[in-house]
Amino acid sequence: FTAAEENREVRAIVIGGAGKAFVAGADVKFFVDKIRADLVADVVAFAAKGQEVYRQIELCKKPVICKLDGLSLGGGGVIENASHVIVATDKASMGFPETGIGIYPGLGGTQRLTRRLGKGLARYFLYSGAVMSCADLEAWKIAWKVVPADELESAIADAIENAPRQEAVLPADLTEDWSQIAE
């Protein structure tokens, strides 16, 4: 990431996944094994490095585009919300299922989602573990564009040239049902 950021010939940085998921989240077993082995310092080091990377994405002077194709859970949602622009396919979704196993989203997930969705909606998705569909991502303008998979590369090229940095979801972009939750 640093090499791309410092390279004058790189106009934008695109972060994408491989396979069926953008990012399926952290390996919870890693954390459990480290805690059981009394290696909590390893968990702290992992979290510190993760925060460093996400902060670098957020502060990058070049556009950072999240190429969201497929499932994105936990840390994937943090990458999305740290990115400047999200371009998604019609197979994309985002969720923070950590509460289902009794933990909260780490690495800034709670703060970045709150900045993007506002307190009410962030609270709903963080507490419930519900997943945002591609329709939600598009309707609320979390994703700059949602396109069929075969149009993703051209949408990314368009985003590099034309997409403004995405900020918070506007209450006016929410349906009445969701605006009540957002309060």
PDB file of all heavy atoms in Angstrom, residues 25-26 28 31 47 51 54 73-79 81 95-114 122-130 132:
ATOM      1  N   GLY A  25     -13.744 -11.620   7.131  1.00  0.00           N
ATOM      2  CA  GLY A  25     -13.495 -11.267   8.522  1.00  0.00           C
ATOM      3  C   GLY A  25     -12.278 -11.975   9.073  1.00  0.00           C
ATOM      4  O   GLY A  25     -11.631 -12.771   8.407  1.00  0.00           O
ATOM      5  N   ALA A  26     -11.996 -11.656  10.304  1.00  0.00           N
ATOM      6  CA  ALA A  26     -10.812 -12.202  10.969  1.00  0.00           C
ATOM      7  C   ALA A  26     -11.016 -13.672  11.333  1.00  0.00           C
ATOM      8  O   ALA A  26     -12.140 -14.138  11.493  1.00  0.00           O
ATOM      9  CB  ALA A  26     -10.504 -11.405  12.235  1.00  0.00           C
ATOM     10  N   VAL A  28     -11.249 -15.920  13.973  1.00  0.00           N
ATOM     11  CA  VAL A  28     -11.496 -15.842  15.411  1.00  0.00           C
ATOM     12  C   VAL A  28     -10.633 -16.851  16.166  1.00  0.00           C
ATOM     13  O   VAL A  28     -10.186 -16.586  17.289  1.00  0.00           O
ATOM     14  CB  VAL A  28     -12.999 -16.052  15.703  1.00  0.00           C
ATOM     15  CG1 VAL A  28     -13.264 -16.088  17.192  1.00  0.00           C
ATOM     16  CG2 VAL A  28     -13.818 -14.946  15.045  1.00  0.00           C
ATOM     17  N   PHE A  31      -7.429 -15.467  17.625  1.00  0.00           N
ATOM     18  CA  PHE A  31      -7.555 -14.734  18.885  1.00  0.00           C
ATOM     19  C   PHE A  31      -7.732 -15.689  20.063  1.00  0.00           C
ATOM     20  O   PHE A  31      -7.091 -15.526  21.105  1.00  0.00           O
ATOM     21  CB  PHE A  31      -8.729 -13.750  18.823  1.00  0.00           C
ATOM     22  CG  PHE A  31      -8.569 -12.732  17.738  1.00  0.00           C
ATOM     23  CD1 PHE A  31      -9.312 -12.820  16.575  1.00  0.00           C
ATOM     24  CD2 PHE A  31      -7.665 -11.684  17.865  1.00  0.00           C
ATOM     25  CE1 PHE A  31      -9.157 -11.882  15.567  1.00  0.00           C
ATOM     26  CE2 PHE A  31      -7.507 -10.750  16.868  1.00  0.00           C
ATOM     27  CZ  PHE A  31      -8.256 -10.849  15.714  1.00  0.00           C
ATOM     28  N   ALA A  47      -3.898  -6.037  16.403  1.00  0.00           N
ATOM     29  CA  ALA A  47      -4.876  -4.945  16.386  1.00  0.00           C
ATOM     30  C   ALA A  47      -4.204  -3.612  16.068  1.00  0.00           C
ATOM     31  O   ALA A  47      -4.739  -2.806  15.296  1.00  0.00           O
ATOM     32  CB  ALA A  47      -5.609  -4.871  17.715  1.00  0.00           C
ATOM     33  N   GLN A  51      -5.072  -1.293  12.828  1.00  0.00           N
ATOM     34  CA  GLN A  51      -5.458   0.121  12.931  1.00  0.00           C
ATOM     35  C   GLN A  51      -4.539   0.996  12.082  1.00  0.00           C
ATOM     36  O   GLN A  51      -4.987   1.938  11.438  1.00  0.00           O
ATOM     37  CB  GLN A  51      -5.406   0.606  14.383  1.00  0.00           C
ATOM     38  CG  GLN A  51      -6.621   0.274  15.162  1.00  0.00           C
ATOM     39  CD  GLN A  51      -7.853   1.051  14.716  1.00  0.00           C
ATOM     40  OE1 GLN A  51      -7.946   1.614  13.627  1.00  0.00           O
ATOM     41  NE2 GLN A  51      -8.849   1.058  15.554  1.00  0.00           N
ATOM     42  N   TYR A  54      -5.651   0.514   8.399  1.00  0.00           N
ATOM     43  CA  TYR A  54      -6.932   1.175   8.123  1.00  0.00           C
ATOM     44  C   TYR A  54      -6.787   2.693   8.144  1.00  0.00           C
ATOM     45  O   TYR A  54      -7.386   3.395   7.341  1.00  0.00           O
ATOM     46  CB  TYR A  54      -8.005   0.739   9.117  1.00  0.00           C
ATOM     47  CG  TYR A  54      -8.379  -0.715   9.011  1.00  0.00           C
ATOM     48  CD1 TYR A  54      -8.664  -1.463  10.140  1.00  0.00           C
ATOM     49  CD2 TYR A  54      -8.474  -1.358   7.780  1.00  0.00           C
ATOM     50  CE1 TYR A  54      -9.032  -2.796  10.053  1.00  0.00           C
ATOM     51  CE2 TYR A  54      -8.827  -2.695   7.685  1.00  0.00           C
ATOM     52  CZ  TYR A  54      -9.108  -3.394   8.825  1.00  0.00           C
ATOM     53  OH  TYR A  54      -9.466  -4.718   8.735  1.00  0.00           O
ATOM     54  N   LEU A  73     -17.582  -9.196   5.691  1.00  0.00           N
ATOM     55  CA  LEU A  73     -17.939  -9.286   7.102  1.00  0.00           C
ATOM     56  C   LEU A  73     -16.839  -8.705   7.972  1.00  0.00           C
ATOM     57  O   LEU A  73     -15.664  -8.770   7.621  1.00  0.00           O
ATOM     58  CB  LEU A  73     -18.172 -10.746   7.496  1.00  0.00           C
ATOM     59  CG  LEU A  73     -19.301 -11.463   6.769  1.00  0.00           C
ATOM     60  CD1 LEU A  73     -19.327 -12.944   7.153  1.00  0.00           C
ATOM     61  CD2 LEU A  73     -20.637 -10.810   7.066  1.00  0.00           C
ATOM     62  N   GLY A  74     -17.219  -8.185   9.112  1.00  0.00           N
ATOM     63  CA  GLY A  74     -16.268  -7.713  10.108  1.00  0.00           C
ATOM     64  C   GLY A  74     -15.225  -6.775   9.553  1.00  0.00           C
ATOM     65  O   GLY A  74     -15.530  -5.670   9.108  1.00  0.00           O
ATOM     66  N   GLY A  75     -13.966  -7.230   9.544  1.00  0.00           N
ATOM     67  CA  GLY A  75     -12.860  -6.412   9.062  1.00  0.00           C
ATOM     68  C   GLY A  75     -13.029  -5.943   7.631  1.00  0.00           C
ATOM     69  O   GLY A  75     -12.517  -4.893   7.241  1.00  0.00           O
ATOM     70  N   GLY A  76     -13.780  -6.695   6.824  1.00  0.00           N
ATOM     71  CA  GLY A  76     -14.075  -6.248   5.463  1.00  0.00           C
ATOM     72  C   GLY A  76     -14.884  -4.964   5.470  1.00  0.00           C
ATOM     73  O   GLY A  76     -14.640  -4.047   4.687  1.00  0.00           O
ATOM     74  N   GLY A  77     -15.850  -4.886   6.386  1.00  0.00           N
ATOM     75  CA  GLY A  77     -16.640  -3.665   6.532  1.00  0.00           C
ATOM     76  C   GLY A  77     -15.794  -2.496   6.996  1.00  0.00           C
ATOM     77  O   GLY A  77     -16.044  -1.355   6.626  1.00  0.00           O
ATOM     78  N   VAL A  78     -14.778  -2.790   7.799  1.00  0.00           N
ATOM     79  CA  VAL A  78     -13.883  -1.730   8.250  1.00  0.00           C
ATOM     80  C   VAL A  78     -13.070  -1.205   7.067  1.00  0.00           C
ATOM     81  O   VAL A  78     -12.918   0.007   6.891  1.00  0.00           O
ATOM     82  CB  VAL A  78     -12.947  -2.214   9.388  1.00  0.00           C
ATOM     83  CG1 VAL A  78     -12.066  -1.071   9.868  1.00  0.00           C
ATOM     84  CG2 VAL A  78     -13.750  -2.771  10.552  1.00  0.00           C
ATOM     85  N   ILE A  79     -12.579  -2.113   6.224  1.00  0.00           N
ATOM     86  CA  ILE A  79     -11.850  -1.687   5.021  1.00  0.00           C
ATOM     87  C   ILE A  79     -12.765  -0.835   4.134  1.00  0.00           C
ATOM     88  O   ILE A  79     -12.362   0.219   3.642  1.00  0.00           O
ATOM     89  CB  ILE A  79     -11.319  -2.901   4.218  1.00  0.00           C
ATOM     90  CG1 ILE A  79     -10.234  -3.624   5.002  1.00  0.00           C
ATOM     91  CG2 ILE A  79     -10.789  -2.457   2.856  1.00  0.00           C
ATOM     92  CD1 ILE A  79      -9.812  -4.952   4.408  1.00  0.00           C
ATOM     93  N   ASN A  81     -15.369   0.972   4.932  1.00  0.00           N
ATOM     94  CA  ASN A  81     -15.662   2.275   5.526  1.00  0.00           C
ATOM     95  C   ASN A  81     -14.425   3.151   5.676  1.00  0.00           C
ATOM     96  O   ASN A  81     -14.553   4.364   5.821  1.00  0.00           O
ATOM     97  CB  ASN A  81     -16.397   2.096   6.848  1.00  0.00           C
ATOM     98  CG  ASN A  81     -17.817   1.630   6.620  1.00  0.00           C
ATOM     99  OD1 ASN A  81     -18.564   2.252   5.880  1.00  0.00           O
ATOM    100  ND2 ASN A  81     -18.181   0.510   7.210  1.00  0.00           N
ATOM    101  N   GLY A  95     -21.683  -6.810   6.573  1.00  0.00           N
ATOM    102  CA  GLY A  95     -22.232  -7.030   7.899  1.00  0.00           C
ATOM    103  C   GLY A  95     -21.142  -7.139   8.947  1.00  0.00           C
ATOM    104  O   GLY A  95     -19.967  -7.330   8.642  1.00  0.00           O
ATOM    105  N   PHE A  96     -21.575  -7.003  10.182  1.00  0.00           N
ATOM    106  CA  PHE A  96     -20.683  -7.104  11.335  1.00  0.00           C
ATOM    107  C   PHE A  96     -21.285  -8.148  12.282  1.00  0.00           C
ATOM    108  O   PHE A  96     -21.984  -7.802  13.229  1.00  0.00           O
ATOM    109  CB  PHE A  96     -20.548  -5.740  12.026  1.00  0.00           C
ATOM    110  CG  PHE A  96     -19.844  -4.723  11.173  1.00  0.00           C
ATOM    111  CD1 PHE A  96     -20.533  -3.984  10.221  1.00  0.00           C
ATOM    112  CD2 PHE A  96     -18.483  -4.524  11.303  1.00  0.00           C
ATOM    113  CE1 PHE A  96     -19.883  -3.066   9.417  1.00  0.00           C
ATOM    114  CE2 PHE A  96     -17.817  -3.604  10.506  1.00  0.00           C
ATOM    115  CZ  PHE A  96     -18.528  -2.872   9.560  1.00  0.00           C
ATOM    116  N   PRO A  97     -21.016  -9.433  12.013  1.00  0.00           N
ATOM    117  CA  PRO A  97     -21.667 -10.504  12.772  1.00  0.00           C
ATOM    118  C   PRO A  97     -21.008 -10.834  14.112  1.00  0.00           C
ATOM    119  O   PRO A  97     -21.429 -11.770  14.787  1.00  0.00           O
ATOM    120  CB  PRO A  97     -21.546 -11.689  11.814  1.00  0.00           C
ATOM    121  CG  PRO A  97     -20.246 -11.447  11.126  1.00  0.00           C
ATOM    122  CD  PRO A  97     -20.193  -9.951  10.925  1.00  0.00           C
ATOM    123  N   GLU A  98     -20.019 -10.062  14.511  1.00  0.00           N
ATOM    124  CA  GLU A  98     -19.258 -10.395  15.716  1.00  0.00           C
ATOM    125  C   GLU A  98     -20.124 -10.550  16.962  1.00  0.00           C
ATOM    126  O   GLU A  98     -19.834 -11.386  17.820  1.00  0.00           O
ATOM    127  CB  GLU A  98     -18.191  -9.311  15.994  1.00  0.00           C
ATOM    128  CG  GLU A  98     -17.088  -9.238  14.968  1.00  0.00           C
ATOM    129  CD  GLU A  98     -17.371  -8.294  13.816  1.00  0.00           C
ATOM    130  OE1 GLU A  98     -18.546  -8.021  13.508  1.00  0.00           O
ATOM    131  OE2 GLU A  98     -16.401  -7.831  13.208  1.00  0.00           O
ATOM    132  N   THR A  99     -21.178  -9.745  17.062  1.00  0.00           N
ATOM    133  CA  THR A  99     -22.013  -9.816  18.266  1.00  0.00           C
ATOM    134  C   THR A  99     -22.663 -11.195  18.415  1.00  0.00           C
ATOM    135  O   THR A  99     -22.997 -11.588  19.529  1.00  0.00           O
ATOM    136  CB  THR A  99     -23.099  -8.728  18.258  1.00  0.00           C
ATOM    137  OG1 THR A  99     -23.846  -8.822  17.050  1.00  0.00           O
ATOM    138  CG2 THR A  99     -22.474  -7.348  18.385  1.00  0.00           C
ATOM    139  N   GLY A 100     -22.803 -11.916  17.315  1.00  0.00           N
ATOM    140  CA  GLY A 100     -23.376 -13.266  17.370  1.00  0.00           C
ATOM    141  C   GLY A 100     -22.513 -14.251  18.144  1.00  0.00           C
ATOM    142  O   GLY A 100     -23.000 -15.286  18.579  1.00  0.00           O
ATOM    143  N   ILE A 101     -21.236 -13.947  18.314  1.00  0.00           N
ATOM    144  CA  ILE A 101     -20.359 -14.814  19.117  1.00  0.00           C
ATOM    145  C   ILE A 101     -19.904 -14.105  20.386  1.00  0.00           C
ATOM    146  O   ILE A 101     -18.959 -14.524  21.041  1.00  0.00           O
ATOM    147  CB  ILE A 101     -19.143 -15.338  18.307  1.00  0.00           C
ATOM    148  CG1 ILE A 101     -18.284 -14.187  17.768  1.00  0.00           C
ATOM    149  CG2 ILE A 101     -19.610 -16.251  17.198  1.00  0.00           C
ATOM    150  CD1 ILE A 101     -16.967 -14.642  17.182  1.00  0.00           C
ATOM    151  N   GLY A 102     -20.577 -12.993  20.708  1.00  0.00           N
ATOM    152  CA  GLY A 102     -20.332 -12.334  21.991  1.00  0.00           C
ATOM    153  C   GLY A 102     -19.171 -11.362  22.012  1.00  0.00           C
ATOM    154  O   GLY A 102     -18.666 -11.040  23.091  1.00  0.00           O
ATOM    155  N   ILE A 103     -18.728 -10.880  20.864  1.00  0.00           N
ATOM    156  CA  ILE A 103     -17.675  -9.869  20.842  1.00  0.00           C
ATOM    157  C   ILE A 103     -18.157  -8.660  20.028  1.00  0.00           C
ATOM    158  O   ILE A 103     -19.177  -8.735  19.352  1.00  0.00           O
ATOM    159  CB  ILE A 103     -16.350 -10.415  20.253  1.00  0.00           C
ATOM    160  CG1 ILE A 103     -16.533 -10.878  18.800  1.00  0.00           C
ATOM    161  CG2 ILE A 103     -15.807 -11.552  21.119  1.00  0.00           C
ATOM    162  CD1 ILE A 103     -15.238 -11.308  18.109  1.00  0.00           C
ATOM    163  N   TYR A 104     -17.440  -7.582  20.123  1.00  0.00           N
ATOM    164  CA  TYR A 104     -17.811  -6.407  19.330  1.00  0.00           C
ATOM    165  C   TYR A 104     -16.803  -6.230  18.196  1.00  0.00           C
ATOM    166  O   TYR A 104     -15.680  -6.713  18.286  1.00  0.00           O
ATOM    167  CB  TYR A 104     -17.875  -5.140  20.201  1.00  0.00           C
ATOM    168  CG  TYR A 104     -16.561  -4.742  20.809  1.00  0.00           C
ATOM    169  CD1 TYR A 104     -15.697  -3.883  20.140  1.00  0.00           C
ATOM    170  CD2 TYR A 104     -16.165  -5.234  22.047  1.00  0.00           C
ATOM    171  CE1 TYR A 104     -14.477  -3.525  20.682  1.00  0.00           C
ATOM    172  CE2 TYR A 104     -14.956  -4.873  22.598  1.00  0.00           C
ATOM    173  CZ  TYR A 104     -14.118  -4.020  21.915  1.00  0.00           C
ATOM    174  OH  TYR A 104     -12.907  -3.659  22.450  1.00  0.00           O
ATOM    175  N   PRO A 105     -17.206  -5.539  17.138  1.00  0.00           N
ATOM    176  CA  PRO A 105     -16.284  -5.324  16.018  1.00  0.00           C
ATOM    177  C   PRO A 105     -15.061  -4.535  16.476  1.00  0.00           C
ATOM    178  O   PRO A 105     -15.190  -3.489  17.105  1.00  0.00           O
ATOM    179  CB  PRO A 105     -17.105  -4.515  15.014  1.00  0.00           C
ATOM    180  CG  PRO A 105     -18.512  -4.853  15.347  1.00  0.00           C
ATOM    181  CD  PRO A 105     -18.535  -5.029  16.837  1.00  0.00           C
ATOM    182  N   GLY A 106     -13.914  -5.043  16.175  1.00  0.00           N
ATOM    183  CA  GLY A 106     -12.679  -4.377  16.562  1.00  0.00           C
ATOM    184  C   GLY A 106     -12.095  -3.568  15.419  1.00  0.00           C
ATOM    185  O   GLY A 106     -12.715  -3.393  14.366  1.00  0.00           O
ATOM    186  N   LEU A 107     -10.897  -3.113  15.637  1.00  0.00           N
ATOM    187  CA  LEU A 107     -10.120  -2.394  14.625  1.00  0.00           C
ATOM    188  C   LEU A 107     -10.844  -1.173  14.066  1.00  0.00           C
ATOM    189  O   LEU A 107     -10.696  -0.826  12.910  1.00  0.00           O
ATOM    190  CB  LEU A 107      -9.703  -3.335  13.485  1.00  0.00           C
ATOM    191  CG  LEU A 107      -8.853  -4.522  13.900  1.00  0.00           C
ATOM    192  CD1 LEU A 107      -8.623  -5.450  12.719  1.00  0.00           C
ATOM    193  CD2 LEU A 107      -7.545  -4.073  14.495  1.00  0.00           C
ATOM    194  N   GLY A 108     -11.664  -0.538  14.899  1.00  0.00           N
ATOM    195  CA  GLY A 108     -12.336   0.678  14.469  1.00  0.00           C
ATOM    196  C   GLY A 108     -13.660   0.449  13.781  1.00  0.00           C
ATOM    197  O   GLY A 108     -14.268   1.385  13.261  1.00  0.00           O
ATOM    198  N   GLY A 109     -14.139  -0.781  13.738  1.00  0.00           N
ATOM    199  CA  GLY A 109     -15.399  -1.076  13.061  1.00  0.00           C
ATOM    200  C   GLY A 109     -16.570  -0.289  13.616  1.00  0.00           C
ATOM    201  O   GLY A 109     -17.402   0.209  12.859  1.00  0.00           O
ATOM    202  N   THR A 110     -16.633  -0.155  14.923  1.00  0.00           N
ATOM    203  CA  THR A 110     -17.754   0.573  15.525  1.00  0.00           C
ATOM    204  C   THR A 110     -17.699   2.059  15.162  1.00  0.00           C
ATOM    205  O   THR A 110     -18.718   2.654  14.821  1.00  0.00           O
ATOM    206  CB  THR A 110     -17.770   0.408  17.053  1.00  0.00           C
ATOM    207  OG1 THR A 110     -16.517   0.832  17.588  1.00  0.00           O
ATOM    208  CG2 THR A 110     -18.018  -1.038  17.447  1.00  0.00           C
ATOM    209  N   GLN A 111     -16.526   2.641  15.192  1.00  0.00           N
ATOM    210  CA  GLN A 111     -16.399   4.077  14.907  1.00  0.00           C
ATOM    211  C   GLN A 111     -16.593   4.375  13.421  1.00  0.00           C
ATOM    212  O   GLN A 111     -17.284   5.327  13.067  1.00  0.00           O
ATOM    213  CB  GLN A 111     -15.026   4.608  15.355  1.00  0.00           C
ATOM    214  CG  GLN A 111     -14.816   4.579  16.845  1.00  0.00           C
ATOM    215  CD  GLN A 111     -14.412   3.209  17.355  1.00  0.00           C
ATOM    216  OE1 GLN A 111     -14.013   2.329  16.601  1.00  0.00           O
ATOM    217  NE2 GLN A 111     -14.544   2.999  18.653  1.00  0.00           N
ATOM    218  N   ARG A 112     -15.982   3.603  12.563  1.00  0.00           N
ATOM    219  CA  ARG A 112     -16.082   3.890  11.125  1.00  0.00           C
ATOM    220  C   ARG A 112     -17.501   3.663  10.612  1.00  0.00           C
ATOM    221  O   ARG A 112     -17.991   4.425   9.788  1.00  0.00           O
ATOM    222  CB  ARG A 112     -15.066   3.060  10.339  1.00  0.00           C
ATOM    223  CG  ARG A 112     -13.654   3.583  10.526  1.00  0.00           C
ATOM    224  CD  ARG A 112     -12.621   2.826   9.709  1.00  0.00           C
ATOM    225  NE  ARG A 112     -11.315   3.398   9.924  1.00  0.00           N
ATOM    226  CZ  ARG A 112     -10.454   2.992  10.852  1.00  0.00           C
ATOM    227  NH1 ARG A 112     -10.753   1.989  11.646  1.00  0.00           N
ATOM    228  NH2 ARG A 112      -9.278   3.580  10.974  1.00  0.00           N
ATOM    229  N   LEU A 113     -18.175   2.632  11.099  1.00  0.00           N
ATOM    230  CA  LEU A 113     -19.553   2.399  10.685  1.00  0.00           C
ATOM    231  C   LEU A 113     -20.454   3.522  11.204  1.00  0.00           C
ATOM    232  O   LEU A 113     -21.342   3.988  10.489  1.00  0.00           O
ATOM    233  CB  LEU A 113     -20.062   1.039  11.166  1.00  0.00           C
ATOM    234  CG  LEU A 113     -21.427   0.641  10.607  1.00  0.00           C
ATOM    235  CD1 LEU A 113     -21.373   0.466   9.089  1.00  0.00           C
ATOM    236  CD2 LEU A 113     -21.924  -0.632  11.271  1.00  0.00           C
ATOM    237  N   THR A 114     -20.220   3.982  12.416  1.00  0.00           N
ATOM    238  CA  THR A 114     -21.012   5.089  12.973  1.00  0.00           C
ATOM    239  C   THR A 114     -20.805   6.358  12.164  1.00  0.00           C
ATOM    240  O   THR A 114     -21.761   7.077  11.878  1.00  0.00           O
ATOM    241  CB  THR A 114     -20.658   5.314  14.457  1.00  0.00           C
ATOM    242  OG1 THR A 114     -20.940   4.108  15.179  1.00  0.00           O
ATOM    243  CG2 THR A 114     -21.459   6.454  15.052  1.00  0.00           C
ATOM    244  N   ALA A 122     -25.953   2.456  12.745  1.00  0.00           N
ATOM    245  CA  ALA A 122     -24.762   1.690  13.126  1.00  0.00           C
ATOM    246  C   ALA A 122     -25.085   0.792  14.315  1.00  0.00           C
ATOM    247  O   ALA A 122     -24.738  -0.395  14.325  1.00  0.00           O
ATOM    248  CB  ALA A 122     -23.604   2.619  13.455  1.00  0.00           C
ATOM    249  N   ARG A 123     -25.764   1.344  15.289  1.00  0.00           N
ATOM    250  CA  ARG A 123     -26.148   0.566  16.468  1.00  0.00           C
ATOM    251  C   ARG A 123     -26.994  -0.645  16.045  1.00  0.00           C
ATOM    252  O   ARG A 123     -26.758  -1.766  16.514  1.00  0.00           O
ATOM    253  CB  ARG A 123     -26.932   1.457  17.424  1.00  0.00           C
ATOM    254  CG  ARG A 123     -26.968   0.950  18.827  1.00  0.00           C
ATOM    255  CD  ARG A 123     -27.653   1.916  19.768  1.00  0.00           C
ATOM    256  NE  ARG A 123     -27.051   3.237  19.670  1.00  0.00           N
ATOM    257  CZ  ARG A 123     -27.703   4.371  19.892  1.00  0.00           C
ATOM    258  NH1 ARG A 123     -28.969   4.367  20.229  1.00  0.00           N
ATOM    259  NH2 ARG A 123     -27.085   5.519  19.790  1.00  0.00           N
ATOM    260  N   TYR A 124     -27.956  -0.438  15.167  1.00  0.00           N
ATOM    261  CA  TYR A 124     -28.805  -1.532  14.712  1.00  0.00           C
ATOM    262  C   TYR A 124     -27.963  -2.647  14.078  1.00  0.00           C
ATOM    263  O   TYR A 124     -28.097  -3.815  14.423  1.00  0.00           O
ATOM    264  CB  TYR A 124     -29.851  -1.024  13.711  1.00  0.00           C
ATOM    265  CG  TYR A 124     -30.604  -2.149  13.046  1.00  0.00           C
ATOM    266  CD1 TYR A 124     -31.637  -2.797  13.706  1.00  0.00           C
ATOM    267  CD2 TYR A 124     -30.253  -2.600  11.779  1.00  0.00           C
ATOM    268  CE1 TYR A 124     -32.311  -3.860  13.117  1.00  0.00           C
ATOM    269  CE2 TYR A 124     -30.925  -3.655  11.180  1.00  0.00           C
ATOM    270  CZ  TYR A 124     -31.952  -4.284  11.857  1.00  0.00           C
ATOM    271  OH  TYR A 124     -32.596  -5.343  11.270  1.00  0.00           O
ATOM    272  N   PHE A 125     -27.096  -2.291  13.128  1.00  0.00           N
ATOM    273  CA  PHE A 125     -26.320  -3.312  12.422  1.00  0.00           C
ATOM    274  C   PHE A 125     -25.262  -3.949  13.324  1.00  0.00           C
ATOM    275  O   PHE A 125     -25.001  -5.145  13.211  1.00  0.00           O
ATOM    276  CB  PHE A 125     -25.714  -2.758  11.139  1.00  0.00           C
ATOM    277  CG  PHE A 125     -26.731  -2.628  10.052  1.00  0.00           C
ATOM    278  CD1 PHE A 125     -27.264  -1.398   9.721  1.00  0.00           C
ATOM    279  CD2 PHE A 125     -27.208  -3.742   9.395  1.00  0.00           C
ATOM    280  CE1 PHE A 125     -28.242  -1.282   8.746  1.00  0.00           C
ATOM    281  CE2 PHE A 125     -28.188  -3.650   8.419  1.00  0.00           C
ATOM    282  CZ  PHE A 125     -28.703  -2.417   8.098  1.00  0.00           C
ATOM    283  N   LEU A 126     -24.675  -3.186  14.218  1.00  0.00           N
ATOM    284  CA  LEU A 126     -23.669  -3.752  15.115  1.00  0.00           C
ATOM    285  C   LEU A 126     -24.300  -4.666  16.159  1.00  0.00           C
ATOM    286  O   LEU A 126     -23.774  -5.736  16.447  1.00  0.00           O
ATOM    287  CB  LEU A 126     -22.877  -2.635  15.795  1.00  0.00           C
ATOM    288  CG  LEU A 126     -21.989  -1.818  14.861  1.00  0.00           C
ATOM    289  CD1 LEU A 126     -21.454  -0.578  15.581  1.00  0.00           C
ATOM    290  CD2 LEU A 126     -20.857  -2.650  14.306  1.00  0.00           C
ATOM    291  N   TYR A 127     -25.427  -4.256  16.728  1.00  0.00           N
ATOM    292  CA  TYR A 127     -26.073  -5.068  17.766  1.00  0.00           C
ATOM    293  C   TYR A 127     -26.743  -6.310  17.193  1.00  0.00           C
ATOM    294  O   TYR A 127     -26.723  -7.365  17.807  1.00  0.00           O
ATOM    295  CB  TYR A 127     -27.118  -4.255  18.526  1.00  0.00           C
ATOM    296  CG  TYR A 127     -26.595  -3.143  19.393  1.00  0.00           C
ATOM    297  CD1 TYR A 127     -27.469  -2.257  19.990  1.00  0.00           C
ATOM    298  CD2 TYR A 127     -25.236  -2.945  19.617  1.00  0.00           C
ATOM    299  CE1 TYR A 127     -27.017  -1.224  20.791  1.00  0.00           C
ATOM    300  CE2 TYR A 127     -24.780  -1.912  20.411  1.00  0.00           C
ATOM    301  CZ  TYR A 127     -25.678  -1.054  20.999  1.00  0.00           C
ATOM    302  OH  TYR A 127     -25.237  -0.029  21.787  1.00  0.00           O
ATOM    303  N   SER A 128     -27.360  -6.171  16.031  1.00  0.00           N
ATOM    304  CA  SER A 128     -28.143  -7.284  15.486  1.00  0.00           C
ATOM    305  C   SER A 128     -27.302  -8.262  14.670  1.00  0.00           C
ATOM    306  O   SER A 128     -27.674  -9.418  14.505  1.00  0.00           O
ATOM    307  CB  SER A 128     -29.268  -6.751  14.592  1.00  0.00           C
ATOM    308  OG  SER A 128     -28.735  -6.216  13.395  1.00  0.00           O
ATOM    309  N   GLY A 129     -26.186  -7.777  14.121  1.00  0.00           N
ATOM    310  CA  GLY A 129     -25.405  -8.614  13.217  1.00  0.00           C
ATOM    311  C   GLY A 129     -26.056  -8.753  11.851  1.00  0.00           C
ATOM    312  O   GLY A 129     -25.611  -9.545  11.024  1.00  0.00           O
ATOM    313  N   ALA A 130     -27.124  -7.974  11.605  1.00  0.00           N
ATOM    314  CA  ALA A 130     -27.819  -8.032  10.309  1.00  0.00           C
ATOM    315  C   ALA A 130     -26.874  -7.616   9.185  1.00  0.00           C
ATOM    316  O   ALA A 130     -25.939  -6.843   9.395  1.00  0.00           O
ATOM    317  CB  ALA A 130     -29.037  -7.116  10.324  1.00  0.00           C
ATOM    318  N   MET A 132     -26.242  -5.884   5.450  1.00  0.00           N
ATOM    319  CA  MET A 132     -26.755  -4.913   4.485  1.00  0.00           C
ATOM    320  C   MET A 132     -26.631  -5.532   3.100  1.00  0.00           C
ATOM    321  O   MET A 132     -25.556  -5.974   2.711  1.00  0.00           O
ATOM    322  CB  MET A 132     -25.939  -3.627   4.538  1.00  0.00           C
ATOM    323  CG  MET A 132     -26.187  -2.806   5.776  1.00  0.00           C
ATOM    324  SD  MET A 132     -25.010  -1.445   5.884  1.00  0.00           S
ATOM    325  CE  MET A 132     -23.971  -2.082   7.193  1.00  0.00           C
TER     326      MET A 132
END
